Amino acid sequence: MKINFLLAAMMLQCASASAQIRLNQVGMSPNQEKTATIEGTVDVGSVKIVDASGKAVGIQPKFLRIAKSPWSGKERTVVDFSALTKPGKYSMKSGKFSASFTIQPQALQELTKASIKAFYLIRSGMAIDAKYAGQFARPLGHPDTQVKVHPSAASESRPAGTVISSPWGWYDAGDYNKYIVNSAFSIGIMLDSYEMNKAKFDAIKVNIPESNNQTTDLLDELMYNLKWMLTMQDPADGGVYHKLTTPNFEGFIMPTDCKQQRYVVQKSTTATLDFAAVMAQAARIYAQNPDYPDFAQKAQEAAKSAYEWAKKNPRHFYNQDEMNKKFQPAVSTGTYGDGNANDEWFWAATELYFLTKNEQYADDAKQYQPRWVGTPTWGMVSTLGVFSWLAHQPSAAMAQQFRTQLLSFCDALLDRTATSCFQTPSGNSPRDYGWGCLAEKFCGDGVMMLYAHQLTKDKKYLKGALQNMEYVLGRNATGYCYVTGFGTKRVMHPHHRVSEADGIVDPVPGLLAGGPNPGQQDLASGLKYPSKQPDESFLDNMGSYASNEIAINWNATLVALLGGLE
Ligand code: 9MR
Ligand code: 9MR
């Protein structure tokens, strides 16, 4: 008894030993701000930094504050060690706790590459080759050349049951379906980042099958999904199917073992407008691209006909429950439902305007001008349109308003850093945590700050963006580095079918987990979260789709943020 008790106590101590000091586990650049958060109130004078050989570096971390979590009441000590600038491997020590970290130039370069490469690793409809994927190679799954038109999507020229081909594209997330709304958001935010950080992305090679052509690897990767998206448009009328899906989620099996019939399901106004927006943007960016010579013309036509379809069908929203009352088979997979298309109108009109310079689109954009500028997410795509106005026509009256709104959004966030537990602008309200928050709040706010930086050249915004990034990389309430394949406390069991079913110990690398989510919508499967606190409500368990799934929109937001850092 006694021994068991002792053992348990020791194990508990070991488990928490590495986790008590929270810092960026991936890498810090020599001249950036460097902070760590230590659980509890500690005497900062006793906190030490040692080099790889265990020798004290002679730089004493500075006390910044004791920060108290507004919800858990936990007290934490925030320290600053920016004075340490010499590249190398180090450990911070506090009492019996220790946390290792690295300082090096281009500290986030490998992470940036991996977050782009992850899209290759989750491609559907082609074999993933060991030459590019190493141990994550897998045979072709989901060819999607025999997809049926679901009764909800039937039209005169394509009655229910018509077989169409709709290959390629990325798997959406932990599941194997392909959703236009989310695909469009993902492409849109990465193209925006590409336009802002062209030189940086142009220099990044990630070893994919297209790496030897003349196109930037990122753009090649996006093209793999864009060419799938083109197949989702009904050529007869321009409408775009909401998704390509099995009726029910597949089990945790490999793509080649999936046997359920796949369908294209109901055309929707939101999917069609999102499609119009990215096709217009892509037509502009890939114009005259020697590797994809026909694409720009096709994409432009596709964007215009999609937009026209939406004009004729402005309230054709995707409502799965209603759909299931009318059509068989019933569909229970992801919905990306949204009953308000004002933001999609604004985004599509904006991109069509910048492609064609036709004032009619500018008028439409004005009609749908968003009243405020918020974090970009799949359900809030107006911000992607805002980014385009700021990038391409910053002197327009509308863009001036966006500028003011965006800066005040970012300033309000930055105001919170000085009292925060983890030295971050985001994450200081319990509402900042929820399904996908690491991307949809932390990284998304970071992207907002990149635009604020570009507009003002004020470095405080860049600093804020990096602070949010570092939250994701370990300076947070759970101590996890939330990108697979990185960090000392790693996510090992994401809700990702390939990662779980492939028999490889490590998950597919470069994927961002959804993150802490007090909604805990996955409890039905018997999961036990370690905590109910908003920022600790995370479970590295493959069953936890509410906190530990991966998804293209999340990785896209991560890529967009990383593209603008350093
Ligand atoms: O795997 C599914 C994931 O991609 C979704 O985000 C999530 C919420 O829609 O649902 C997951 O599937 C679960 C289903 O909803 C309920 N039964 C268990 C499934 C996971 O194994
Ligand atoms: O990202 C979506 C999130 O905003 C929703 O709350 C959640 C539940 O409906 O669904 C998320 O999207 C999932 C999609 O429906 C199916 N593929 C996995 C996505 C990530 O969990």
Side-chain angles (χ1 to χ4, degrees):
M1 261 316 264
K2 208 170 169 190
I3 290 180
N4 277 346
F5 182 78
L6 241 166
L7 252 173
M10 273 168 60
M11 278 166 68
L12 258 176
Q13 272 195 5
C14 287
S16 58
S18 60
Q20 291 300 301
I21 304 173
R22 310 284 163 80
L23 45 68
N24 167 351
Q25 298 165 19
V26 173
M28 303 171 202
S29 297
N31 296 313
Q32 72 167 81
E33 175 197 67
K34 300 177 195 72
T35 68
T37 291
I38 306 172
E39 292 290 297
T41 56
V42 302
D43 164 19
V44 175
S46 69
V47 178
K48 293 277 169 294
I49 298 177
V50 300
D51 65 16
S53 66
K55 213 172 103 221
V57 295
I59 284 170
Q60 184 56 40
K62 279 197 314 215
F63 173 80
L64 282 188
R65 64 183 163 278
I66 303 289
K68 187 170 175 179
S69 165
W71 46 86
S72 70
K74 281 189 185 173
E75 290 190 319
R76 301 179 170 111
T77 310
V78 186
V79 301
D80 183 301
F81 54 105
S82 307
L84 183 63
T85 58
K86 195 175 153 213
K89 287 190 188 307
Y90 303 94
S91 291
M92 181 177 286
K93 305 215 174 272
S94 172
K96 58 183 179 291
F97 304 115
S98 171
S100 54
F101 65 93
T102 306
I103 298 179
Q104 66 181 114
Q106 296 203 296
L108 301 181
Q109 184 78 355
E110 288 310 310
L111 180 73
T112 309
K113 285 186 180 175
S115 63
I116 296 171
K117 180 68 172 271
F119 285 93
Y120 168 70
L121 298 173
I122 61 171
R123 286 186 190 184
S124 76
M126 72 181 283
I128 302 303
D129 198 313
K131 240 181 18 204
Y132 313 109
Q135 65 171 338
F136 298 102
R138 54 182 166 81
L140 187 154
H142 296 101
D144 286 341
T145 49
Q146 307 269 309
V147 175
K148 282 192 179 166
V149 173
H150 188 262
S152 62
S155 58
E156 217 169 278
S157 54
R158 289 183 169 180
T162 303
V163 173
I164 66 166
S165 182
S166 187
W168 318 305
W170 307 307
Y171 294 120
D172 183 59
D175 63 319
Y176 287 132
N177 304 303
K178 305 191 287 197
Y179 306 80
I180 287 292
V181 166
N182 208 34
S183 273
F185 171 81
S186 305
I187 300 271
I189 197 163
M190 288 193 279
L191 284 180
D192 285 344
S193 185
Y194 175 73
E195 292 200 86
M196 183 169 32
N197 307 293
K198 205 165 167 308
K200 170 145 178 189
F201 283 118
D202 284 345
I204 293 181
K205 288 234 173 248
V206 296
N207 185 31
I208 55 177
E210 301 82 5
S211 285
N212 291 327
N213 68 13
Q214 295 174 60
T215 305
T216 301
D217 282 5
L218 177 69
L219 294 186
D220 283 322
E221 192 52 56
L222 301 187
M223 183 57 73
Y224 190 75
N225 199 57
L226 281 163
K227 64 181 189 172
W228 164 65
M229 291 181 76
L230 279 175
T231 71
M232 289 291 280
Q233 183 175 42
D234 182 348
D237 63 6
V240 178
Y241 305 112
H242 195 71
K243 58 177 170 175
L244 189 163
T245 185
T246 49
N248 298 306
F249 286 117
E250 292 281 5
F252 271 64
I253 54 180
M254 287 301 276
T256 41
D257 296 326
C258 293
K259 299 289 183 268
Q260 279 190 62
Q261 177 63 45
R262 311 237 303 166
Y263 294 89
V264 289
V265 173
Q266 192 202 302
K267 291 165 192 165
S268 77
T269 308
T270 51
T272 303
L273 287 168
D274 286 344
F275 172 98
V278 284
M279 286 303 160
Q281 186 178 18
R284 185 164 52 72
I285 294 172
Y286 291 79
Q288 266 110 50
N289 181 303
D291 295 306
Y292 308 103
D294 308 328
F295 175 79
Q297 187 59 32
K298 259 194 223 160
Q300 166 152 350
E301 282 158 22
K304 284 182 176 169
S305 62
Y307 196 80
E308 290 314 309
W309 184 90
K311 287 236 157 175
K312 289 184 207 131
N313 300 276
R315 299 199 54 80
H316 219 68
F317 296 123
Y318 188 72
N319 183 329
Q320 197 152 276
D321 293 336
E322 288 304 312
M323 185 183 86
N324 285 337
K325 288 183 194 153
K326 293 190 217 130
F327 303 106
Q328 287 292 320
V331 176
S332 66
T333 55
T335 55
Y336 292 112
D338 184 348
N340 178 336
N342 288 351
D343 53 327
E344 286 82 3
W345 279 115
F346 173 72
W347 184 31
T350 294
E351 294 304 337
L352 274 158
Y353 170 61
F354 288 120
L355 173 65
T356 64
K357 288 290 147 69
N358 179 338
E359 289 297 328
Q360 183 58 52
Y361 293 122
D363 291 344
D364 284 4
K366 272 175 215 140
Q367 189 192 328
Y368 290 107
Q369 176 178 346
R371 271 192 284 269
W372 60 291
V373 178
T375 318
T377 66
W378 68 262
M380 166 73 108
V381 291
S382 49
T383 302
L384 300 183
V386 166
F387 291 162
S388 283
W389 281 96
L390 294 174
H392 302 299
Q393 212 161 297
S395 59
M398 198 159 49
Q400 297 282 317
Q401 290 178 25
F402 295 151
R403 177 195 162 100
T404 309
Q405 291 169 324
L406 181 124
L407 293 182
S408 67
F409 177 95
C410 292
D411 288 340
L413 284 175
L414 291 187
D415 279 348
R416 315 189 78 160
T417 310
T419 50
S420 71
C421 293
F422 299 99
Q423 188 76 352
T424 53
S426 303
N428 301 302
S429 154
R431 281 184 319 218
D432 286 358
Y433 300 89
W435 203 307
C437 67
L438 293 174
E440 300 194 21
K441 188 65 193 161
F442 287 87
C443 293
D445 285 352
V447 173
M448 295 281 273
M449 289 185 265
L450 294 181
Y451 279 90
H453 173 247
Q454 202 192 34
L455 290 170
T456 62
K457 303 289 170 225
D458 190 330
K459 286 244 157 55
K460 70 180 180 186
Y461 297 113
L462 205 52
K463 188 170 162 188
L466 180 60
Q467 287 166 332
N468 270 6
M469 184 74 258
E470 294 194 294
Y471 185 97
V472 173
L473 303 181
R475 199 173 65 234
N476 60 54
T478 64
Y480 274 101
C481 171
Y482 289 111
V483 183
T484 56
F486 287 84
T488 41
K489 185 174 177 184
R490 295 181 175 207
V491 171
M492 291 301 286
H493 305 286
H495 184 84
H496 178 221
R497 282 164 173 72
V498 173
S499 289
E500 193 59 31
D502 63 8
I504 301 166
V505 173
D506 287 324
V508 173
L511 292 166
L512 173 61
N517 174 7
Q520 303 188 351
Q521 293 89 337
D522 45 19
L523 289 180
S525 47
L527 296 175
K528 288 208 171 26
Y529 280 75
S531 167
K532 286 192 164 129
Q533 298 301 338
D535 54 350
E536 297 175 55
S537 201
F538 173 78
L539 196 54
D540 181 23
N541 179 306
M542 72 125 178
S544 184
Y545 50 82
S547 80
N548 201 25
E549 190 163 358
I550 59 97
I552 55 173
N553 55 322
W554 302 339
N555 250 69
T557 311
L558 172 66
V559 168
L561 174 57
L562 283 167
L565 295 178
E566 289 174 352

